[in-house]
Amino acid sequence: MPMKKVMKGNEAAAWAAKLAKPKVIAAFPITPSTLVPEKISEFVANGELDAEFIKVESEHSAISACVGASAAGVRTFTATASQGLALMHEILFIAAGMRLPIVMAIGNRALSAPINIWNDWQDTISERDTGWIQFYAENNQEALDLILIAFKVAEDERVLLPAMTGFDAFILTHTVEPVEIPDQELVDEFLGEYKPKHAYLDPKRPITQGTLGFPAHYMEARYKVWEAMENAREVIKEAFEEFEKKFGRKYQMVEEYKTDDAEIIMITMGSLAGTLKEFVDKKREEGVKIGAAKITVYRPFPIEEIRALAKKAKVLAILEKDVSFGSGGAVFADVARSLINEKEKPIILDFIIGLGGRDVTFEQLEEALGIAEKAIKEGVEEDVYWIGLRKEIL
Amino acid sequence: MAVRKPPITTREYWAPGHAACAGCGCAIIMRLATKAFSEAMEEKYGDPDAFAIAHATGCMEVVSAVFPYTAWKAPWIHVAFENAAAVASGVEAAWKKLGYKGKILAFGGDGGTADIGLQALSGMLERRHNVVYIMYDNEAYMNTGIQRSSSTPYGAWTTTSPPGKYSIGEDKPKKWVALIAAAHQIPYVATASIADPYDLYRKVKKAAKIDGPAFLQIHGPCVPGWRIPPEKTVEVAKLAIETGVWPLFEIENGDIRNIKFQRFPKDGKFKKPIEEYLKLQGRFKHLLKNPEAIQELKEQIKEMWRVLGKEVELP
Ligand SMILES: Cc1ncc(C[n+]2csc(CCOP(=O)(O)OP(=O)(O)O)c2C)c(N)n1
Ligand code: SF4
């Protein structure tokens, strides 16, 4: 029988790791994810998880050790956030290029400067081009489930890419919620044992990994990463279905909420989706035709799902906690890219919101909605807005 | 008549066909070290193949693993420039869980070890991973075209320490990573040189048979980097030992009061002058015209020996 426990998002991530039974974990503490390696240390210390836990001296070494372990052929896990993830940046590309299905939990946190430990998505968004699959969790249950699903997808032979699951700093990492812990046997069935055919360091079968690729081969190797990421779309959907059958919880690339007759659909990710759904409920009561959509899988980007969404609405309004300076939000760019060659497309607006842990309030969402409504009537003036700025201190 | 086992195994893990320059000193390190490792594995685990190699970015990696070829007959992995020690940590941890009996060998150049990879090395040593880390010391970043590292000797020319009107070339004393490694109080630290292959072989074997981490700093001249003719590699390396420039020693458990020296003159007097070592190499050409700089180099070498606990005389 599955158990229910009240726990923080970080504990949910640690539980997911315990259930997945990785053989090697290497991690370094950083707020807000510190509890993940702490909790895993406890599991290992109590004999509840039979793994080597390498207490590395930095995140760069954490991910490097994971690459070594994964290349040697074992299931591998790590956790970090923000500056820690940024310090791993170089090796993230390598993990993907070497096709190592490492899974990483991220407590999504802002990047310096100024130093800020609170939530936004700049850390994982900045790693979107490394070749890692990316999931974003709305609550602690999703954090646990999406880490299990990350292992399933990453290790699939059609994919073989590393995967990260993000869950918002403090809003999830440090907030307790009831979380259902799946049965170990069912998880074992779901994930199976990891037995790689492509990555091992076995003296009886010596292979060379991490070679130099000349121009004659580099592009093809990179194309294979592209292809694997494309394959991941189907594999993720299959994994979601199997997960639902086994554990009863449904996941979708993009989860829609009251979108069917919506004129304006607000799109977001992570825990903000919870706030947004409540806002939609309130506005629906007031008779406003608004819906919400939550992107659960950001890489591979759900292009088809966004196209389907675009057919329904006059405005797609993106609420995102990240920015690509000199352009706009990252999700905005991806949504726009999905629709660029569609014959008919809605207005696409971008709202940069809630950076560095600033609360996203209904007033702010109201402001975004007002801009979207005005755009329907009067056309688009601007397409990127910063919402909730304290103008008095600018 | 009893057949004598050759002193160095005939097994090869570094295959011919790698792309190192003719006369590359570090290629000799690759070959000898893997041979010694294999013999140690045979003696310790009954399986000469019971090891895997983690390599840092650098000359020896680039010349040995150009897709779709490989010079390696052992399981081998390269990840990045600064993380061979961390990667080796991960491989070792995985092997533990897989139940493999054997040991991990990590290779890094002086740049990948003394500079950018020092932190990862320290972490790996401190955590006591069962890894032998070999720093092949060609005294500069050769892969990127001869830039100085913190292991470049005083006075040497490199492209980033060029001698000029206001410069004598490299202006800092050499960093001895072996001593930094010893400060971790790990079971075994040693220096070696390609000019004494038997000593090198013995030390790698010894390191490989120990349970826990070991570190070796091995001198390997670089033909274009030192501006020497290919056939002079071993001669130059030998002169480094004979003039006192390259010390050969072993430190066990970080006990620096009990350093064991090899090929150290009994009376502490080196017979050959440093100039003999310098004059064979283009990288010191400018120094020969600068007696003050040579004097400074001699003082630094004496100081290095003093740190090792020896008073020496240099002619
Ligand atoms: C993070 C990073 N910085 C710089 C480089 C470029 N780089 C590759 S190898 C190398 C020098 C290697 O020098 P060393 O470790 O002494 O080995 P050698 O080439 O002499 O064998 C440099 C600077 C890199 N690959 N990665
Ligand atoms: S450049 Fe130097 S270290 Fe590199 S292969 Fe040539 S001789 Fe060896």
Side-chain angles (χ1 to χ4, degrees), chain A residues 50 64 90 203 208-210 212, chain B residues 49 65 67 70 76 78 83 97:
Chain A
D50 178 21
S64 299
E90 177 199 22
T208 294
Q209 292 186 68
L212 174 68
Chain B
D49 298 333
F67 184 83
T70 179
W76 183 93
H78 156 257
N83 65 355
K97 295 321 283 180

Side-chain angles (χ1 to χ4, degrees), chain A residues 90, chain B residues 57-59 81-82 109-112 116 136 138 140-144:
Chain A
E90 177 199 22
Chain B
T57 312
C59 244
F81 184 23
E82 63 287 302
D110 48 294
I116 197 167
Y136 64 90
N138 55 24
Y141 303 160
M142 298 312 178
N143 184 46
T144 32

Side-chain angles (χ1 to χ4, degrees), chain B:
Chain B
M1 214 177 82
V3 180
R4 276 233 323 247
K5 224 177 129 203
I8 287 179
T9 177
T10 50
R11 264 189 302 271
E12 301 284 357
Y13 293 87
W14 169 257
H18 59 74
C21 307
C24 172
C26 296
I28 299 174
I29 299 174
M30 298 298 116
R31 185 163 176 223
L32 284 175
T34 45
K35 278 169 171 283
F37 222 81
S38 158
E39 200 167 291
M41 292 303 101
E42 185 169 36
E43 287 171 18
K44 193 170 162 78
Y45 301 109
D47 177 3
D49 298 333
F51 65 105
I53 302 168
H55 226 288
T57 312
C59 244
M60 289 301 97
E61 166 262 328
V62 161
V63 302
S64 65
V66 181
F67 184 83
Y69 306 106
T70 179
W72 296 101
K73 294 184 172 182
W76 183 93
I77 179 172
H78 156 257
V79 179
F81 184 23
E82 63 287 302
N83 65 355
V87 172
S89 304
V91 175
E92 187 245 15
W95 272 31
K96 249 189 219 159
K97 295 321 283 180
L98 290 166
Y100 287 8
K101 283 206 177 341
K103 189 145 182 149
I104 313 302
L105 169 59
F107 282 117
D110 48 294
T113 308
D115 295 341
I116 197 167
L118 191 62
Q119 173 186 307
L121 173 68
S122 174
M124 187 275 279
L125 297 179
E126 161 271 314
R127 291 189 303 270
R128 299 291 189 266
H129 287 279
N130 195 23
V131 173
V132 174
Y133 189 107
I134 294 180
M135 164 180 170
Y136 64 90
D137 194 353
N138 55 24
E139 304 193 321
Y141 303 160
M142 298 312 178
N143 184 46
T144 32
I146 322 167
Q147 295 82 33
R148 61 90 59 184
S149 78
S150 57
S151 193
T152 298
Y154 180 82
W157 159 89
T158 72
T159 58
T160 51
S161 62
K165 202 166 155 197
Y166 301 104
S167 161
I168 52 111
E170 173 57 33
D171 62 354
K172 306 284 185 308
K174 182 180 173 74
K175 186 195 272 186
W176 284 94
V177 186
L179 294 176
I180 299 174
H184 292 74
Q185 298 186 304
I186 55 169
Y188 187 66
V189 170
T191 58
S193 163
I194 57 145
D196 193 338
Y198 294 109
D199 181 65
L200 186 159
Y201 197 78
R202 176 184 69 80
K203 285 170 171 167
V204 175
K205 254 185 87 173
K206 186 167 171 181
K209 283 171 123 181
I210 286 167
D211 292 315
F215 177 86
L216 288 107
Q217 185 170 351
I218 306 183
H219 209 208
C222 164
V223 171
W226 295 18
R227 299 185 160 178
I228 53 174
E231 68 278 11
K232 293 279 182 197
T233 303
V234 176
E235 192 180 325
V236 169
K238 202 168 157 205
L239 276 167
I241 299 170
E242 290 169 348
T243 57
V245 167
W246 187 267
L248 290 176
F249 60 81
E250 293 171 286
I251 304 173
E252 294 189 49
N253 303 312
D255 186 358
I256 54 164
R257 281 160 305 183
N258 262 318
I259 302 180
K260 264 189 244 149
F261 294 92
Q262 294 80 38
R263 301 186 50 166
F264 181 74
K266 278 203 186 72
D267 55 2
K269 289 181 188 155
F270 285 92
K271 310 290 176 298
K272 289 193 179 161
I274 282 171
E275 286 84 346
E276 268 193 49
Y277 172 64
L278 303 180
K279 76 178 183 221
L280 275 182
Q281 307 173 55
R283 65 173 174 160
F284 293 116
K285 205 166 128 200
H286 60 285
L287 218 63
L288 293 167
K289 294 178 232 139
N290 188 340
E292 270 171 44
I294 291 183
Q295 197 46 44
E296 169 59 26
L297 178 60
K298 285 184 182 171
E299 287 308 319
Q300 285 181 15
I301 289 166
K302 280 195 212 161
E303 185 55 30
M304 181 253 317
W305 281 106
R306 230 170 268 138
V307 171
L308 295 171
K310 294 276 186 195
E311 291 294 334
V312 301
E313 279 180 36
L314 304 174

Side-chain angles (χ1 to χ4, degrees), chain A residues 143-154:
Chain A
L144 188 152
D145 293 351
L146 290 173
I147 289 169
L148 293 179
I149 290 165
F151 276 111
K152 176 88 178 169
V153 174

